[in-house]
Amino acid sequence: MCGIVGMIGQDLTVKRLIDALKKLEYRGYDSAGVAFCDRNGLNVRKAAGRISVLENSLGDEIESNILQGIAHTRWATHGGPSDFNAHPHTDCTGKIAVVHNGIVENFDRLREQLEMNGHVFKSATDTEVIAHLVEDHYKGDLVAALRHTLVDLEGAYAIGVIHQDQPDVIVAARKGSPLVVGCTNGSGYMASDVTPLLRYLRDVQFIEDGELACIRSGRVEIFRLDGSAVVKSPTKITWSEDSAEKGGYPHFMIKEIFEEPQTLRNAITGRIRKGLPYFRELEPLKETIEKAGSITVLACGTSFHAGLVFQRFLQDYAEIRVDIDVASEFRYKNLVLKEDDIVVAISQSGETADTLEGIRKARRCGAKIVSLTNVVGSTISRESDAVIYINAGPEIGVAATKTYVAQLSVLLLMGAGLAMIRKPGNGEIFQLVNEIEGMPTVFENVLSSADEQCQRLAREYYQFRHFMYMGRGYSYPTALEGALKLKEISYIHATGYQAGELKHGPIALLDRDFPVFAIIPEDGLKSKTLSNIMETRARDARVVAICSVDDREVSKIVNSRIEVPKVSPPLYPLVMSPFLQLFAYYVAVARGYDPDKPRNLAKSVTVE
Ligand code: M6R
């Protein structure tokens, strides 16, 4: 899970390459490197640490004009983070440089053979075998050399290769890891995703598994492994470059939380007609949906929590059985799916390896795949029967925030749509859809108070070392997501529980140093959660509640509270989201951490 970028053509400098690489830093940031050809040949510079370390080490060289270059920001898999293991990797002649995102699974065997044939390795990475294989296969044609190399590789890759004897070309290839290419009149580009390219172009081509791209100034050619040419039309990207920048906020995470009203607007635009949900993308599957005996949802992390809300909603309103699994478990299960069963895959990035393998397995059983993703052209979107985009724009902070609210709003609408198909005439659906339509305004009105309340709360609680989040019904996924947000960016141990489960074990943990975050909206389960709060107070635990506005019952029995507007029960996970995200954000900042780049995490988990 790394970021790669490559550029060739007019007015190119090392700085341009580094600036483009920074847009991919969310994909991994334990080391970085760049390889470029200038009139004197190939140069490689790399450094352990963030891209800024590499940048500082370059000194004046950063302004040098270059003919072409490739760069890499790393999230280590094989070989720890170090200068040596940072990419690009080179061959024995020092003329070939390679960047790679993915894992070469058979690298041990390949390395052994290469070493027996006299190749000398400089790193402990799997990637270096690619550079040596290209060296062996190079006979003056870099495309052919990479094509022959790929035959030997098992595993996943997005690769960029340059050769000092061919400074007019970058060759790239993909299997299992994302890769996008494009060109303008005098330049050519490749990258792991579109964000570094937005400054230069809007029409891009997504490389598919088993394809190679030959990138020159002003021209990109795509080939299959057998050498035949691929002709594909470009995809137009509508994201603005600004949307990928911080816009005056100290971190992307807070900027992205404050974008949520607009994110919601974008997510639901075009999805409501005459007061009812409208999903054109699902029309070809209408008959299958009508007949479906059950639906299976799969996802990971935050997307899984959105899936739990969807599950509950469908069970409540569409009266259909919904199974849900985290994709890393689902993919290794004996599936009992039947032909034409529906599988809904939720993935912000559309590249999560477990989710991708999950849908591949489900497809082999004959299931129809509906995916919900944010990234146009992502692998999951391309391998689905129907794709629903959440249109949240790029999310740079590693913690999912605005994309979670976009997922929830679209899933609730989709759930309402399915409910109308399966149980037409349910008046409550009109009311819920109407409320969802009003959510962007509710968010606009609530954000500044949420910000204030959460800053205050974070000041009170940032020094605690543990947190228990609890909730029932729709609030259980909220408890899980609140706990995930807190732990992933503030490194406080936090766990989410069904409130009724506490007494079956976890309550033993509670004391004055172990606060409880109670998710207690105005719904049919409130009285039950009130009792659970009393149980935790009796164990001396401090209780923070997130409840609906002016809730006297709750305010009387808790130590601190934050208040959210009153909405219908299924919409509380949505309206509570920015509060829990802001709380986690301010706690992380108070503890001195960078919430955009939590340790050990990367935005898109494209390895198993
Ligand atoms: O791109 P995906 O939605 O498939 O990603 C799934 C998880 O990796 C992701 O939600 C992760 O849990 C985030 N760190 C949550 O903030």
Side-chain angles (χ1 to χ4, degrees), residues 182-433:
C183 63
T184 57
N185 270 347
S187 310
Y189 305 89
M190 59 153 238
S192 296
D193 72 30
V194 295
T195 36
L197 309 188
L198 294 174
R199 178 170 295 179
Y200 306 105
L201 68 164
R202 284 289 181 274
D203 288 335
V204 300
Q205 289 179 306
F206 292 97
I207 302 301
E208 303 280 349
D209 282 357
E211 290 178 352
L212 281 94
C214 178
I215 303 150
R216 297 174 193 275
S217 304
R219 183 156 56 99
V220 173
E221 292 164 293
I222 301 170
F223 304 98
R224 296 185 191 87
L225 288 190
D226 63 8
S228 58
V230 178
V231 181
K232 56 171 90 188
S233 20
T235 303
K236 190 164 276 312
I237 305 297
T238 52
W239 291 356
S240 70
E241 203 198 337
D242 267 7
S243 61
E245 302 288 346
K246 272 192 212 151
Y249 288 94
H251 299 102
F252 280 110
M253 182 172 172
I254 183 89
K255 173 188 173 246
E256 285 159 0
I257 296 171
F258 272 85
E259 279 170 6
E260 285 175 3
Q262 187 56 40
T263 306
L264 279 171
R265 216 162 260 130
N266 296 343
I268 63 179
T269 293
R271 303 222 170 272
I272 300 173
R273 279 199 182 168
K274 298 190 183 147
L276 284 176
Y278 175 69
F279 284 84
R280 184 183 37 77
E281 305 88 329
L282 293 181
E283 269 165 20
L285 295 181
K286 193 161 177 250
E287 212 177 303
T288 318
I289 293 168
E290 275 164 358
K291 288 194 200 137
S294 69
I295 290 180
T296 302
V297 179
L298 69 143
C300 301
T302 291
S303 296
F304 176 72
H305 302 153
L308 286 172
V309 174
F310 183 56
Q311 178 197 34
R312 183 121 197 155
F313 187 91
L314 283 180
Q315 284 180 180
D316 283 355
Y317 292 92
E319 291 182 9
I320 181 167
R321 203 188 84 221
V322 184
D323 300 316
I324 181 161
D325 223 336
V326 286
S328 54
E329 290 295 318
F330 178 89
R331 64 181 286 194
Y332 293 113
K333 274 186 180 162
N334 183 23
L335 301 186
V336 286
L337 291 170
K338 294 191 303 296
E339 187 86 5
D340 283 348
D341 270 357
I342 304 250
V343 169
V344 177
I346 309 169
S347 173
Q348 184 284 127
S349 61
E351 301 293 348
T352 299
D354 287 322
T355 312
L356 180 58
E357 283 310 316
I359 66 168
R360 286 177 175 163
K361 186 162 178 180
R363 276 202 113 170
R364 288 196 288 274
C365 299
K368 292 275 182 287
I369 313 296
V370 176
S371 64
L372 190 92
T373 182
N374 189 32
V375 182
V376 176
S378 57
T379 312
I380 288 175
S381 75
R382 282 181 283 120
E383 298 196 17
S384 302
D385 297 285
V387 188
I388 294 171
Y389 289 109
I390 58 171
N391 296 330
E395 184 174 70
I396 307 299
V398 165
T401 54
K402 66 174 182 172
T403 57
Y404 182 58
V405 304
Q407 284 174 337
L408 285 176
S409 62
V410 175
L411 285 167
L412 288 167
L413 275 178
M414 195 168 130
L418 296 181
M420 290 306 287
I421 293 177
R422 307 215 15 134
K423 287 189 69 204
N426 181 349
E428 223 183 314
I429 295 295
F430 279 97
Q431 155 66 20
L432 284 171
V433 171

Side-chain angles (χ1 to χ4, degrees), residues 379-523:
T379 312
I380 288 175
S381 75
R382 282 181 283 120
E383 298 196 17
S384 302
D385 297 285
V387 188
I388 294 171
Y389 289 109
I390 58 171
N391 296 330
E395 184 174 70
I396 307 299
V398 165
T401 54
K402 66 174 182 172
T403 57
Y404 182 58
V405 304
Q407 284 174 337
L408 285 176
S409 62
V410 175
L411 285 167
L412 288 167
L413 275 178
M414 195 168 130
L418 296 181
M420 290 306 287
I421 293 177
R422 307 215 15 134
K423 287 189 69 204
N426 181 349
E428 223 183 314
I429 295 295
F430 279 97
Q431 155 66 20
L432 284 171
V433 171
N434 186 35
E435 258 187 273
I436 296 171
E437 204 167 11
M439 274 295 149
T441 313
V442 172
F443 269 57
E444 253 152 25
N445 296 338
V446 96
L447 268 175
S448 71
S449 135
D451 192 56
E452 222 171 86
Q453 295 187 62
C454 292
Q455 287 200 47
R456 174 178 47 74
L457 204 64
R459 279 197 295 273
E460 252 180 87
Y461 285 90
Y462 77 96
Q463 281 170 320
F464 282 92
R465 298 183 53 221
H466 308 278
F467 258 95
M468 177 87 68
Y469 284 66
M470 67 170 184
R472 287 170 179 263
Y474 288 102
S475 300
Y476 170 53
T478 305
L480 292 177
E481 178 57 13
L484 176 63
K485 280 296 86 92
L486 188 69
K487 69 184 141 199
E488 69 180 336
I489 60 169
S490 74
Y491 317 142
I492 292 176
H493 164 237
T495 182
Y497 258 99
Q498 298 96 335
E501 274 292 292
L502 252 62
K503 57 185 170 296
H504 297 289
I507 201 164
L509 291 166
L510 300 183
D511 61 20
R512 64 180 66 250
D513 298 323
F514 203 134
V516 172
F517 209 123
I519 320 293
I520 180 162
E522 201 62 59
D523 65 10

Side-chain angles (χ1 to χ4, degrees), residues 99-110:
V99 286
H100 167 221
N101 169 31
I103 294 176
V104 181
E105 285 170 3
N106 58 338
F107 86 100
D108 268 352
R109 191 167 43 78
L110 292 171

